[in-house]
Amino acid sequence: MGARELERVDLGEVPYLDAMEDMRGWVERRRAGTIGDRLVLLTHPPVITYGTRTPADELPRADSPIPLVEVDRGGRATYHGPGQLVGYLVLNLRERGPGDIVRWVENALIEAVGSLGFATLRRDTPAGAQSLVGVWTPRHDKLASIGMRIRGGVTSHGFALNVSSDLDEFTRFTACGLPDVAMTSLAELAAERGVVAPGEAAVRDAVARAFGAER
């Protein structure tokens, strides 16, 4: 992809449905050319979201206390909540030039996490297998999930990076359609090494730098 600068937009905790309404507006404005490409960084209260192709048996039980929302992005079910940094990307791909947008997002997150002292990698998906899109540790625990939509040449949705997430919440359902995969967080990886975990502000800055996003 071409190297075009992104605008960085920092928000606090935003209810998921409110953020989706805001994102529809950002996408319309990007198509109209009244805003440039942007990276929106925020968090959500607890919610489980799922793409339209998610099988019912991968979703939480009906008595789950966490709201469940069907969304128009790619990917299967995932959890958003406190301690997780969510990044929404609103990009005009027709202006940005050819390239694999998902791989670009994976590589940017790997660069960001690497700058904080944690080695991660991307994985190719074998033919016929469930998608391995995302950011992984060398032992194949999943640190970040990616789910995007492209319509009219403009992207929406983005990624979720576990900073200090409650990982037990991912056990309420089949995360990302991968029943045998363990989710992890930067806090858990830091604890395993006996080092101080990076705070949210440091993670936001590292992610923004890796994506070339300025305020």
Side-chain angles (χ1 to χ4, degrees):
M1 292 182 61
R4 287 171 58 92
E5 186 176 278
L6 280 72
E7 176 190 5
R8 172 179 174 175
V9 179
D10 279 280
L11 304 176
E13 184 179 83
V14 180
Y16 187 81
L17 293 177
D18 291 352
M20 293 304 97
E21 184 62 30
D22 290 341
M23 186 157 52
R24 281 189 282 272
W26 302 330
V27 169
E28 289 175 5
R29 291 169 63 194
R30 186 66 192 95
R31 285 202 190 102
T34 58
I35 62 171
D37 291 344
R38 59 174 48 179
L39 168 65
V40 182
L41 299 172
L42 68 162
T43 63
H44 293 308
V47 63
I48 294 170
T49 68
Y50 63 100
T52 56
R53 296 183 181 179
T54 306
D57 61 3
E58 293 182 2
L59 299 176
R61 295 183 351 180
D63 60 355
S64 171
I66 299 178
L68 184 64
V69 178
E70 183 177 346
V71 294
D72 61 357
R73 58 159 172 79
R76 307 281 261 272
T78 195
Y79 166 78
H80 299 306
Q84 183 186 74
L85 179 62
V86 174
Y88 290 130
L89 287 155
V90 181
L91 313 174
N92 188 322
L93 297 184
R94 292 171 178 167
E95 294 181 6
R96 210 160 251 279
D100 185 332
I101 179 65
V102 172
R103 179 168 291 194
W104 179 71
V105 174
E106 289 175 323
N107 288 336
L109 290 173
I110 289 167
E111 178 183 337
V113 171
S115 73
L116 296 168
F118 300 92
T120 53
L121 49 85
R122 62 174 302 277
R123 299 172 66 188
D124 291 321
T125 303
Q130 176 56 28
S131 173
L132 297 178
V133 165
V135 175
W136 303 79
T137 67
R139 69 186 180 205
H140 291 178
D141 292 343
K142 194 169 188 181
L143 179 65
S145 301
I146 298 169
M148 302 187 70
R149 180 182 183 184
I150 303 171
R151 187 173 182 183
V154 176
T155 68
S156 57
H157 299 279
F159 61 85
L161 172 63
N162 297 326
V163 180
S164 58
S165 308
D166 181 353
L167 300 176
D168 286 342
E169 300 294 356
F170 288 97
T171 66
R172 296 180 183 273
F173 61 99
T174 303
C176 306
L178 300 168
D180 299 322
V181 167
M183 303 296 291
T184 192
S185 67
L186 292 176
E188 183 170 271
L189 296 177
E192 291 171 0
R193 290 169 45 185
V195 300
V196 176
E200 183 186 330
V203 176
R204 283 185 179 231
D205 288 345
V207 168
R209 282 194 302 272
F211 278 95
E214 301 295 336
R215 283 192 175 88

